[in-house]
């Protein structure tokens, strides 16, 4: 059927067959050696007869120093036989050694046969296997050579091939019978019959197939019968000769269409032949319980799906027949606990059973994709998916195939959804009429029918499968497939039909799906506790919330998806409060994580459509609604404990609250241009917002004792500190850069330096006694710095106008600085005295010390005339007044009056 490049495949198949057969031969030889040792040991044990029991009198008179002979019971004798589990000889057991030493008449037990060495293996095994393999390949290549050289006619070729096959089969049977009556049956040379029979079987397959497919000597019915006879003969021969024949024969049978090729492929002949070979191999694997044989057959059968898939002229019907026939055979003979498959305990997922069905589902999916969703391929795929549900319903061993079924269904619909040009779906004007399909196309109608069948099948089966098994994994797999498949199909249909645009009909479908999942959730919560029921209930609850999120996404536009997912987190937390299902808490956290990841893609939520209205724009909805949802969700979750999901939701709440404030500040400061350069106004507002939120979290953490609130307060304080230092004091400092600060009193200086100083002071008092002294004093020191900076900048604004960098500094301005600083220090001192704050008095001392330093370093050198005199006079008066206050008010000394003089009596 297929041309010269398949010579390479011939060698590959030969090597694979050789390796499989070699492994099977080693196993067979080892089993025979162990069986021979066991039979010899049993025969020797049976020859030992215990002495007759002594009379009662003699037993009493027997000296105590002479122990009775040790005679094991028959069951103990069998149990004490030496098990042979490796190639090395095992020593005889202790019981057998004791018995041999105490009974002089008992013959010694025979030792197990030693393991064969390298030379013995080479001469009795490997040479024989290579010879048998060479016989089979020689027959194949002789046929190929005769075809290419034209030496023999077609009839003669077929006749000689049949004679060669019969000769090999006859030689194999003759050697088997001869060795069965000889004295060397246990030697490894006993593999010769199996090798000869395997070679004859492979040649017989090739001969019948060539007579039918290449030369047309046989009609399909006759070829089918002959191939069936050869397959059944292989099955019978493998039962006699063991796994050696099975390995080589099956690999040779699957390799036959590659080795015996033709220029024009006939897929019907190929797949009828492969169906017979698959049936024979599955039957043999079932009878002898050879899992490796079933797996090998499935792998080769799936590989034979690929020929023809990449061609423009795909033959859908024979390919569909191949996967359907293989699926049916696997279900009948391979799946444990179903029809003729091996037995297995209920509640166990058997890997081979599930993988067998999944492999043929994979093949059916490939046919659908390669045929561009042809009608026949879709029908075949639908039948196999429905059959998978039926088989998994009847046999727990195949429940693992549900995952493969759900995955292939999603891939088929997803590929169909993106088959249209993706660029057409994202054009600003929407899809072009007549280019992309509409909802009334025949292909769309067909896929809608399939989608309804799949969604109903998976969802209904996933619900009714609850409580049918005593194993926890079974209901979980059913519910997972029943929830994920309908949602995945709905998303694919929405992408293909609605082109990812707003669609009320799809929103209605999502609501109906959510209602179905909600009904399933409520029904399951009322049932008695069964294994896996809690997780299954959580999965259906997840499906309910996911479908509602999709409904909001389908009905709304752009950033509403972020809002919908955030509301899903709130809804999940509320459901977790009403129905304490542990997984629901994690689901609320997962929704919060998805929304958080969403903002990394586009922090503006809706791109350029944020709007220019301050505050009341899309940022308020895109960040405000999620923030409120996460705060409410954290409240519900906290009522049932403090765990990782709660902390994740609390982190999301703090993050979105902070981002809402920061993004709104930036939107306000830049007039809606979210990519504009920062400004003094923005930095001032960012610092004030960060400090205000830090104060709020400091108060909140005292009540909640949440580590998230604790860390969040520290992080916001650090952010405020960074913006204060690098933004207000360096990058946006009006003393360093030409910045318009505004009016005389109500200006940016008040917002950027005075208000942050007040907020820092409040934050310092909020953390006093709750955190370390260094932390609180650092914040208080920052408040003092910004308050003094405000006084200084405001004085400069009075002298220089809105641009502080313009003009020269005069003596009057320098004198005003000194007066202002002194006044500020006096105010701090008075405040400290009135409220009894040592921190305020120390701050006053720092400001006055700074004023003194300025007087002696700056004023003395720069001021002249009356300003220098007034500066020092004012400083002196203030210092004297401060000293008087400290002596008379703060540290007043009470003088003890002298004792009254004593008068004589």
């Amino acid at each position: 059927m297929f041309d010269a490049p398949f010579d390479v495949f011939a060698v590959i198949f030969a090597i694979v067959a050789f390796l499989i057969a070699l492994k099977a031969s080693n196993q067979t030889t080892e089993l025979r050696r162990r069986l021979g040792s066991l039979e010899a040991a049993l025969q020797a044990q049976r020859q030992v007869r215990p002495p007759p029991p002594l009379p009662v009198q003699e037993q009493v008179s027997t000296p105590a120093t002479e122990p009775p002979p040790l005679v094991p019971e028959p069951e103990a004798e069998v149990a004490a036989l030496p098990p042979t589990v490796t190639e090395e000889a095992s020593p005889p057991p202790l019981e057998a050694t004791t018995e041999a030493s105490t009974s002089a008449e008992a013959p010694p037990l025979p030792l197990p046969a030693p393991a064969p060495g390298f030379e013995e293996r080479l001469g009795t095994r490997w040479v024989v296997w290579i010879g048998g393999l060479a016989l089979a390949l020689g027959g194949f290549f002789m046929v190929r050579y005769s075809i290419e050289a034209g030496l023999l006619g077609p009839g003669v070729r077929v006749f000689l091939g049949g004679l060669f096959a019969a000769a090999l089969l006859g030689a194999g049977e003759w050697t088997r019978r001869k060795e069965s009556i000889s004295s060397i049956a246990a030697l490894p040379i006993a593999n010769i019959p199996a090798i000869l029979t395997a070679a004859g079987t492979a040649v017989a397959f090739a001969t019948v197939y060539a007579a039918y497919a290449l030369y047309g000597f046989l009609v399909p019915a006759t070829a089918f019968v002959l191939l069936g006879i050869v397959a059944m003969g292989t099955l019978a021969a493998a039962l006699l000769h063991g796994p050696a024949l099975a390995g080589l024969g099956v690999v040779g049978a699957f390799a036959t269409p590659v080795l015996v090729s033709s220029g024009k492929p006939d897929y019907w002949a190929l797949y009828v032949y492969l169906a017979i070979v698959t049936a024979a191999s599955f039957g043999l694997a079932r009878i002898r319980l050879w899992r490796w044989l079933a797996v090998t057959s499935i792998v080769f059968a799936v590989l034979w799906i690929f020929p023809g898939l990449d061609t423009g002229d795909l033959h859908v019907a024979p390919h569909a027949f191949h996967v359907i026939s293989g699926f049916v055979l696997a279900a009948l003979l391979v799946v444990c606990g179903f029809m003729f498959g091996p037995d297995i305990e209920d509640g166990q997922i058997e890997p081979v059973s599930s993988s067998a069905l999944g492999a043929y589902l994979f093949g059916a999916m490939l046919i659908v994709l390669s045929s561009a969703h042809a009608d026949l391929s879709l029908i075949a795929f639908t039948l196999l998916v429905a059959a998978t549900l039926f088989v998994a319903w009847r046999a727990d061993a195949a429940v693992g195939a549900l995952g493969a079924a759900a995955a292939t269904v999603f891939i088929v619909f997803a590929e169909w959804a993106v088959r249209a040009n993706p660029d057409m779906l994202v054009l600003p004007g929407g899809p072009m009429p007549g280019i992309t399909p509409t909802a009334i196309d025949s292909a769309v109608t067909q896929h809608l029918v399939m989608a309804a069948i799949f969604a109903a099948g998976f969802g209904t089966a996933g619900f009714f499968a609850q409580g049918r098994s005593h194993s926890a994994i079974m209901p979980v797999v059913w519910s997972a497939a029943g929830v994920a498949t309908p949602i995945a199909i709905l998303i694919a249909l929405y992408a293909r039909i609605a082109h990812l645009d707003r669609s009320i009909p799809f929103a209605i479908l999502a609501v109906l799906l959510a209602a179905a999942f909600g009904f399933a959730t409520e029904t399951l919560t009322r049932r008695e506790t069964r294994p896996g029921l809690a997780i299954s209930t959580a999965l259906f609850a997840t499906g309910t919330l996911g479908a509602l999120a999709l409904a909001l996404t389908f009905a709304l536009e752009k950033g509403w998806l972020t809002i919908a997912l955030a509301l899903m987190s709130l809804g999940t937390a509320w459901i977790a409060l009403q129905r304490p299902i542990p997984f629901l808490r994690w689901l609320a956290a997962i929704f919060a994580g998805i929304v958080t990841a969403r903002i990394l893609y586009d922090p503006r939520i809706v791109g350029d459509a944020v709007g220019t209205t301050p505050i009341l724009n899309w940022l308020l909805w895109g960040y405000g609604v999620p923030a409120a949802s996460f705060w409410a969700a954290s409240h519900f979750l906290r009522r049932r404990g403090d765990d990782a999901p709660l902390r994740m939701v609390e982190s999301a709440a703090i993050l979105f609250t902070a981002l809402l404030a920061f993004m709104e500040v930036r939107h306000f400061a830049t007039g809606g241009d979210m990519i504009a350069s920062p400004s003094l106004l923005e930095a001032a507002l960012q610092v004030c917002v960060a400090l205000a939120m830090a104060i709020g979290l400091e108060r909140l953490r005292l009540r909640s004792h949440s580590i998230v609130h604790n860390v969040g307060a520290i992080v916001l304080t650090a952010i405020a500190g960074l913006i204060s230092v690098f933004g207000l004091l360096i990058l946006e400092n009006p003393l360093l850069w030409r910045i318009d600060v505004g009016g005389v009193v109500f200006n940016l200086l008040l917002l950027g330096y005075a208000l942050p100083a007040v907020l820092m002071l409040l934050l310092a008092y909020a953390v006093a006694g709750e955190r370390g002294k260094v932390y609180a004093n650092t914040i208080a020191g920052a408040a003092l710095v910004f308050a003094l900076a405000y006084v200084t900048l405001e004085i400069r604004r009075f002298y220089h106008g809105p641009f502080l960098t313009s003009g020269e500094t005069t003596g009057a301005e320098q004198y005003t600085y000194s007066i202002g600083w002194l006044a500020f220090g006096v105010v701090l001192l008075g405040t400290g005295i009135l409220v009894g704050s040592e921190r305020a008095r120390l701050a006053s001392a720092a400001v006055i010390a700074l004023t003194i330093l300025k007087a002696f370093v700056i004023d003395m050198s720069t001021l002249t005339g009356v300003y220098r005199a007034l500066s020092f006079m004012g400083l002196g008066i203030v210092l004297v007044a401060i000293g008087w206050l400290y002596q008379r008010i703060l540290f007043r000394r009470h003088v003890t009056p002298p004792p009254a003089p004593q008068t004589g009596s």
Side-chain angles (χ1 to χ4, degrees), residues 820-840:
W821 289 7
L822 275 176
F824 178 57
V826 171
V827 170
L828 287 177
L829 179 60
T831 303
I833 294 174
L834 291 176
V835 301
S837 173
E838 181 185 4
R839 184 179 296 168

Side-chain angles (χ1 to χ4, degrees), residues 757-802:
V758 174
L759 292 173
M760 289 177 185
L761 184 62
L762 294 176
L763 180 59
Y765 277 101
V767 301
E770 302 296 334
R771 297 190 186 274
K773 274 190 173 183
V774 176
Y775 187 81
N777 291 336
T778 301
I779 298 175
L784 178 62
V785 170
F786 270 79
L788 187 61
Y790 171 70
V791 172
T792 304
L793 295 175
E794 189 62 38
I795 293 173
R796 189 165 183 83
R797 166 64 184 81
F798 178 78
Y799 282 97
H800 294 268

Side-chain angles (χ1 to χ4, degrees), residues 466 472 474-477 479 483 524 531-541:
Q466 306 304 312
M474 298 300 169
V476 172
V477 174
S479 59
V483 170
L524 293 178
L533 183 62
I535 300 179
S536 298
T537 305
L539 288 173
F540 277 104

Side-chain angles (χ1 to χ4, degrees), residues 351-396:
V352 176
S353 301
S354 301
S355 301
L357 302 184
Y360 287 105
L361 284 171
F362 173 74
M365 178 197 71
L366 291 180
I367 296 173
V368 172
L369 301 183
S370 299
S371 64
H373 294 248
D375 294 344
L376 183 58
S377 65
L378 289 175
I379 293 173
F381 179 72
T382 305
L383 291 176
L384 290 191
V385 173
T388 301
L389 293 177
F390 174 74
V391 174
W393 185 269
R394 297 290 302 274
D396 289 344

Side-chain angles (χ1 to χ4, degrees), residues 236-318:
L239 290 174
L240 295 175
H241 294 278
L245 177 61
L248 190 59
V250 168
V251 174
F254 277 103
T256 297
V258 177
L259 300 176
V260 182
S261 60
S262 64
K264 184 179 181 181
D266 186 349
Y267 289 102
W268 274 113
L270 170 67
Y271 290 136
V272 168
Y273 164 78
L274 291 179
I276 298 173
V277 172
T278 303
S281 60
F282 283 173
L284 176 59
R286 169 63 185 89
I287 294 174
R288 300 300 295 269
L289 297 179
W290 290 336
R291 294 159 56 97
W292 62 269
L293 181 59
V295 173
T296 303
S297 302
I298 292 170
V299 171
F300 281 119
V302 172
L303 289 177
W304 272 113
I305 298 174
F306 287 93
L309 290 182
D310 56 345
T311 60
D313 186 19
L314 175 62
H315 298 75
V316 177

Side-chain angles (χ1 to χ4, degrees), residues 615-674:
I615 308 300
L616 300 179
N617 48 55
W618 243 105
L619 296 174
L620 180 62
W621 313 114
Y623 285 99
V625 175
S629 300
F630 294 148
W631 280 115
S634 65
H635 173 72
F636 291 139
L637 294 177
R638 179 168 291 280
R639 294 174 64 178
R640 288 194 176 273
D642 187 354
D643 53 4
L646 169 63
R647 294 168 185 172
M648 293 174 63
V649 175
E650 286 181 339
S651 300
I654 296 174
L655 175 64
F656 271 81
T657 303
L659 290 177
L660 170 64
F662 292 151
M663 297 295 286
E664 285 286 10
V665 164
R666 178 156 186 78
H667 182 275
F668 172 78
T670 59
D673 186 2
M674 303 300 292

